C-alpha cells in the first residue's frame, strides 16, 4: 500500500520538477501544482478509505474479542460456582461418612456390650438352673409325702406326685416322665 502511495505522489515522468517548472508559464505551473495537489488529495482519500476499512475491521475484531472475553468470564464464573458446589457436596459427603462411621462404631460397641451381657445372663441362667435342679433333687423327696397327705390322694401312687408340683419340676421333665408313665 505504501509503495502505491509513493508512486501516486511522485510524478509519472522521470523529469525533475525544478527543471520542468522553471521553463514553463505560471499558468502551466499552477495547473501542474493543482494536478499534484489532486494526486496527493486522491492518495489521501485512498489512505482515509483504507484507514476506515482497517478501523472497521479492528472494531469488529475488538467486539468479537470483547464478546469472547465476556463469554470466558461467564464460563469462569460458572466453573467457579461448580467448584464451590462440588466442594460443598464433598464436605457434606465427608461429614455424612464421619457421622455414619461414628454411628457404626457406637453400634459395634453396643453389640459388644450386649454380647457380654448376654454371656453373663446365660451364665447366670445356667447357674440358676443348676441351683434349681439341686434344690429340686433335695426338696422333692422330702416334700412329696406331705404333699400326698395334704391332697388326700390315697389311691394315687407315690411316683405320680411329681405331676402335682409344676414349680418343682420343669415342664419338659414332667411331660417326658408322664408319657413314660402312660406307656406302662
Amino acid at each position: 500500500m505504501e509503495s502505491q502511495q509513493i508512486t501516486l505522489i511522485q510524478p509519472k515522468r522521470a523529469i525533475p520538477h525544478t527543471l520542468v517548472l522553471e521553463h514553463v508559464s505560471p499558468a502551466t505551473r499552477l495547473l501542474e501544482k493543482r494536478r499534484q495537489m489532486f494526486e496527493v488529495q486522491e492518495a489521501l482519500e485512498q489512505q482515509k478509505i483504507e484507514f476506515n476499512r482497517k478501523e472497521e475491521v479492528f472494531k469488529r475484531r475488538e467486539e468479537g474479542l470483547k464478546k469472547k472475553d465476556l463469554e470466558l468470564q461467564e464460563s469462569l464464573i460458572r466453573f467457579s460456582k461448580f467448584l464451590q458446589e462440588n466442594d460443598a457436596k464433598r464436605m457434606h459427603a465427608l461429614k455424612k461418612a464421619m457421622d455414619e462411621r461414628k454411628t457404626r462404631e457406637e453400634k459395634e460397641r453396643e453389640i459388644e456390650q450386649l454380647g457380654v451381657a448376654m454371656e453373663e445372663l446365660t451364665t447366670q441362667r445356667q447357674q440358676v438352673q443348676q441351683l434349681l435342679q439341686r434344690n429340686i433333687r433335695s426338696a422333692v423327696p422330702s416334700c412329696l409325702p406331705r404333699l400326698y397327705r395334704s391332697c388326700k390322694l390315697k389311691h394315687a401312687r407315690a411316683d405320680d406326685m411329681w405331676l402335682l408340683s409344676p414349680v418343682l419340676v420343669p415342664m419338659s421333665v414332667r411331660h417326658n416322665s408322664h408319657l413314660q408313665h402312660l406307656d406302662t
Side-chain angles (χ1 to χ4, degrees):
M1 231 0 127
E2 291 178 16
S3 62
Q4 289 178 352
Q5 292 171 356
I6 293 172
T7 56
L8 292 176
I9 295 173
Q10 293 177 351
K12 293 183 180 177
R13 293 177 247 162
I15 302 172
H17 286 281
T18 53
L19 293 176
V20 173
L21 296 177
E22 287 178 12
H23 297 44
V24 288
S25 68
T28 308
R29 257 190 253 149
L30 181 64
L31 285 173
E32 182 62 26
K33 291 288 181 189
R34 281 186 183 169
R35 186 188 61 75
Q36 287 176 352
M37 187 178 78
F38 177 75
E39 287 176 356
V40 170
Q41 196 70 14
E42 281 290 318
L44 185 61
E45 280 299 317
Q46 288 296 325
Q47 285 179 347
K48 281 183 184 180
I49 291 170
E50 185 62 25
F51 178 78
N52 288 338
R53 187 186 64 76
K54 285 183 179 179
E55 187 177 29
E56 187 64 32
V57 168
F58 288 131
K59 282 183 182 179
R60 282 185 292 210
R61 275 181 65 189
E62 184 180 24
E63 288 174 8
L65 289 174
K66 283 181 181 179
K67 184 178 177 182
K68 285 184 180 180
D69 185 50
L70 185 62
E71 289 173 356
L72 184 62
Q73 287 177 3
E74 289 173 354
S75 176
L76 184 63
I77 290 169
R78 285 192 307 270
F79 183 67
S80 176
K81 190 175 183 178
F82 168 76
L83 288 178
Q84 288 174 347
E85 289 173 355
N86 201 20
D87 278 346
K89 288 177 184 177
R90 185 177 56 83
M91 294 302 288
H92 178 72
L94 286 174
K95 184 181 181 301
K96 185 177 178 181
M98 287 174 52
D99 290 345
E100 287 176 355
R101 185 177 307 121
K102 184 178 177 183
T103 302
R104 187 194 76 227
E105 289 171 355
E106 288 173 359
K107 293 293 182 184
E108 286 174 353
R109 281 192 297 273
E110 184 179 345
I111 288 170
E112 190 175 317
Q113 290 171 354
L114 290 173
V116 169
M118 188 174 88
E119 288 177 10
E120 289 174 0
L121 289 173
T122 303
T123 304
Q124 279 182 339
R125 188 188 71 175
Q126 289 173 348
Q127 290 172 351
V128 167
Q129 282 180 338
Q130 290 173 354
L131 182 63
L132 180 66
Q133 290 296 324
R134 276 188 300 218
N135 289 341
I136 288 174
R137 285 187 202 127
S138 66
V140 168
S142 64
C143 71
L144 276 180
R146 277 184 279 154
L147 186 61
Y148 180 73
R149 281 188 300 251
S150 68
C151 291
K152 296 182 182 175
L153 294 173
K154 296 185 180 185
H155 64 279
R157 295 187 326 210
D159 47 317
D160 289 337
M161 293 310 292
W162 62 273
L163 291 171
L164 299 174
S165 178
V167 174
L168 297 177
V169 182
M171 182 64 154
S172 60
V173 174
R174 283 192 329 235
H175 181 68
N176 289 338
S177 297
H178 179 62
L179 291 177
Q180 289 173 355
H181 177 67
L182 292 176
D183 288 339
T184 57

